[in-house]
Amino acid sequence: VSPSHRSSFDEEEDEEEEKVNACRAWVRKVVTHPMFGWFILLVTMVNVSSMAVDHYGISSRGLYTINTIIFWCTIVFVTEMLVKIYALGLKRYLYDKYNAFDCMLVLISIPELVLVIKNGIGGRG
């Protein structure tokens, strides 16, 4: 089809694709920015610290607090993974070994997240 025979529908599709590509480029810029990495590192440290303070005999309020923190950290990690996959594309995302390992950890954590939602944040799972 010659350019003169393109329909307005084709032009609208092209404009929409350009908007999507511009959005993906902006999201890619965000997820590859060093501050994004530092934010994820901070959330990871909070998550690990929360897991480390859990112990036998912890009060129900303490357990609720820990589980709430872990729950929201997991939500951040799932969101990070999905946003990076959108920004980079699945193949490019998984090409990075750190992302592949991170993806595995996130996928493993999802069943626990479901149990927390099902049993309530204060439960032992």
Side-chain angles (χ1 to χ4, degrees):
V1 177
S2 69
S4 62
H5 291 97
R6 291 175 50 98
S7 70
S8 63
F9 180 75
D10 289 336
E11 290 173 6
E12 288 175 15
E13 273 189 344
D14 289 346
E15 287 176 20
E16 190 65 32
E17 188 174 328
E18 285 178 24
K19 289 177 187 175
V20 169
N21 288 339
C23 181
R24 268 183 104 170
W26 182 83
V27 173
R28 184 179 304 122
K29 193 174 184 179
V30 170
V31 300
T32 57
H33 193 279
M35 290 303 292
F36 185 82
W38 283 108
F39 170 73
I40 296 300
L41 181 60
L42 175 66
V43 174
T44 302
M45 290 174 14
V46 168
N47 191 49
V48 170
S49 298
S50 298
M51 289 183 210
V53 298
D54 190 6
H55 62 279
Y56 178 76
I58 192 169
S59 70
S60 59
R61 183 176 177 160
L63 181 62
Y64 180 84
T65 301
I66 289 169
N67 285 344
T68 301
I69 293 168
I70 292 170
F71 173 83
W72 286 109
C73 288
T74 304
I75 294 294
V76 169
F77 298 142
V78 169
T79 303
E80 173 207 13
M81 179 186 76
L82 294 174
V83 169
K84 280 186 167 182
I85 289 171
Y86 170 74
L88 304 172
L90 183 61
K91 187 175 179 180
R92 187 171 172 193
Y93 173 79
L94 292 175
Y95 182 77
D96 181 324
K97 301 304 180 210
Y98 174 79
N99 284 338
F101 179 70
D102 191 48
C103 180
M104 181 188 69
L105 293 177
V106 169
L107 293 176
I108 289 170
S109 70
I110 289 175
E112 181 179 0
L113 188 65
V114 170
L115 284 174
V116 167
I117 292 169
K118 181 182 174 202
N119 297 332
I121 287 181
R124 278 265 177 209

